[in-house]
Amino acid sequence: MTEEEILRRRMHGLYLSRPCDGLSALAHALLGMHCWFHRNVVFSALIRGAELSGWKAELTKTWLYRGTLHGVSDPDLPDLLALHPLEEPLSEFEREVLRYMEDGVFSRREFRQLFADRFDESFLARAFSPWGGVFVGLARRGLVAFRDMTSRDFDLISAEPTQTRDAVLPGLLRRYFSSYGPATLADAAWFFGLANDAAQKLHEIVSEDDFLRFQHGKCTYYLCGDNRAMADIPEITLLSGFDPLIVSYIDRSAVLPAEYKHNVILKSGICLPTIAIHGRIAGVWNIKQDRPMVEFFVKQPKRLENAAYDLVESMCWQTRRCLASSCQMGNAPKGFF
């Protein structure tokens, strides 16, 4: 394949040149949807044509590979958690947190009050940190998850892994190369957060005949599934923050020119929503104070500038409607825009 054909196949697999069937189906295909900011799930789904009614509770929000938050289709969660099992037993402190949750305690604030007379402030700050604390370990065991996509509170769940990493890895790897391929084994290891001996297992798995492979440059690329009936690369494409097309590969040069990397991926690690022209990142977009914002890195034809603005304006309207729906269901998510 040429570089253009690789990009064309990736955009097809990641539903950037065709619509998806729904939010759960999209999260299943993408092996989870990155949600450092929950609005990126909304952006990513709308860009890919997914219906968003009831989106707050349709996915489970929890920590997955590379220590990042993802929205996951519920049936997928045990297998995805099996990639990084925690083998040490629960501590007595973790067990006590679970007992309180069984009694209806779900917020960090409530937990800090309950433990205030037994632990000093530095311990409580670590244990109930807004970045996770004790809940990260419980979530990685499949015992707790965020109450919904916008909540900061937690619920008890039952998603404990029932299989080993070696048992689930072949199926997950096939799914990765079906959606994200063509990609390299290094890409897959990066995506799943695998290192050393676990990454070596990938070589054994792809030796089977159902993986297609080819050379491009100095790298071997793999893919699974039908490689026909793909649409062309769209002339203009909006991408969400932390979009899979950008963050799921080690070498991003085919999509993100090196000279624009610092405009897209900030020093903090945040990856901004972007605009691609013929599959190459050419600008950023966002919604700030309920208004569309578009910024190209270099001057574009007026036709493309207008088309990009119209797409972001449509996204602004659709997310406003989504926010209004969230208000009707309960608490409005703060800082959505």
Side-chain angles (χ1 to χ4, degrees):
M1 289 187 181
T2 65
E3 190 171 88
E4 181 178 344
E5 288 171 330
I6 290 173
L7 180 56
R8 182 168 172 251
R9 177 61 177 79
R10 287 178 178 178
M11 294 188 80
H12 175 82
L14 298 176
Y15 290 95
L16 290 168
S17 59
R18 57 174 175 148
C20 63
D21 295 329
L23 186 58
S24 291
L26 179 61
H28 175 78
L30 299 183
L31 294 158
M33 300 177 68
H34 200 299
C35 60
W36 190 341
F37 302 111
H38 61 257
R39 69 175 183 176
N40 288 329
V41 171
V42 176
F43 289 161
S44 189
L46 290 173
I47 286 166
R48 291 163 167 85
E51 169 60 39
L52 277 173
S53 58
W55 70 276
K56 283 177 58 178
E58 188 167 348
L59 304 179
T60 296
K61 180 179 177 180
T62 191
W63 284 271
L64 285 186
Y65 23 73
R66 306 194 307 278
T68 52
L69 287 170
H70 284 72
V72 186
S73 178
D74 289 354
D76 288 338
L77 189 50
D79 285 356
L80 293 174
L81 290 174
L83 288 171
H84 298 282
L86 292 180
E87 297 178 354
E88 63 271 20
L90 287 169
S91 67
E92 182 53 39
F93 180 73
E94 290 174 315
R95 293 182 186 278
E96 190 168 2
V97 168
L98 291 174
R99 288 195 291 270
Y100 274 121
M101 293 185 72
E102 290 171 354
D103 291 335
V105 180
F106 302 113
S107 72
R108 294 184 179 93
R109 179 183 57 80
E110 292 175 296
F111 276 112
R112 289 175 70 105
Q113 292 173 346
L114 286 167
F115 288 107
D117 60 343
R118 295 167 49 193
F119 300 96
D120 61 34
E121 181 57 33
S122 63
F123 176 86
L124 294 176
R126 293 193 306 273
F128 303 112
S129 163
W131 299 104
V134 66
F135 295 107
V136 175
L138 295 174
R140 288 181 57 194
R141 289 181 168 89
L143 299 174
V144 306
F146 283 90
R147 305 201 77 173
D148 60 46
M149 293 299 293
T150 65
S151 176
R152 297 184 178 183
D153 294 343
F154 295 87
D155 264 337
L156 292 168
I157 63 171
S158 181
E160 299 93 328
T162 58
Q163 300 186 76
T164 65
R165 179 180 61 196
D166 288 352
V168 302
L169 192 53
L172 293 178
L173 189 62
R174 287 182 177 86
R175 287 173 53 189
Y176 173 80
F177 285 123
S178 293
S179 294
Y180 290 86
T184 66
L185 293 183
D187 291 327
W190 152 254
F191 180 86
F192 288 124
L194 302 176
N196 302 328
D197 62 323
Q200 290 300 316
K201 292 281 186 183
L202 303 184
H203 290 274
E204 301 173 15
I205 296 170
V206 298
S207 65
E208 301 177 16
D209 291 339
D210 56 341
F211 286 88
L212 304 175
R213 73 196 70 199
F214 64 91
Q215 288 291 131
H216 179 72
K218 297 181 180 180
C219 296
T220 302
Y221 287 78
Y222 299 84
L223 67 157
C224 290
D226 191 356
N227 195 41
R228 298 167 296 176
M230 293 182 296
D232 291 333
I233 297 172
E235 181 180 45
I236 185 166
T237 309
L238 294 187
L239 299 173
S240 64
F242 298 96
D243 197 275
L245 187 66
I246 297 176
V247 303
S248 303
Y249 307 92
I250 291 179
D251 182 3
R252 301 161 179 165
S253 60
V255 172
L256 179 57
E259 62 268 28
Y260 303 144
K261 182 179 178 181
H262 70 282
N263 298 100
V264 174
I265 302 176
L266 308 183
K267 290 182 179 179
S268 62
I270 292 173
C271 179
L272 299 176
T274 55
I275 307 166
I277 302 296
H278 298 295
R280 301 267 291 177
I281 304 304
V284 295
W285 68 273
N286 217 320
I287 298 173
K288 296 185 177 181
Q289 298 181 340
D290 205 11
R291 294 181 181 276
M293 184 278 292
V294 175
E295 179 184 348
F296 283 102
F297 303 137
V298 297
K299 184 69 175 177
Q300 298 291 330
K302 190 65 175 178
R303 175 181 60 83
L304 290 179
E305 291 183 351
N306 290 340
Y309 188 87
D310 288 344
L311 287 173
V312 177
E313 191 170 44
S314 174
M315 186 68 61
C316 184
W317 175 81
Q318 291 180 83
T319 49
R320 188 185 304 123
R321 184 181 63 174
C322 180
L323 178 61
S325 174
S326 297
C327 292
Q328 293 170 5
M329 290 187 287
N331 295 327
K334 296 180 180 179
F336 189 84
F337 297 114

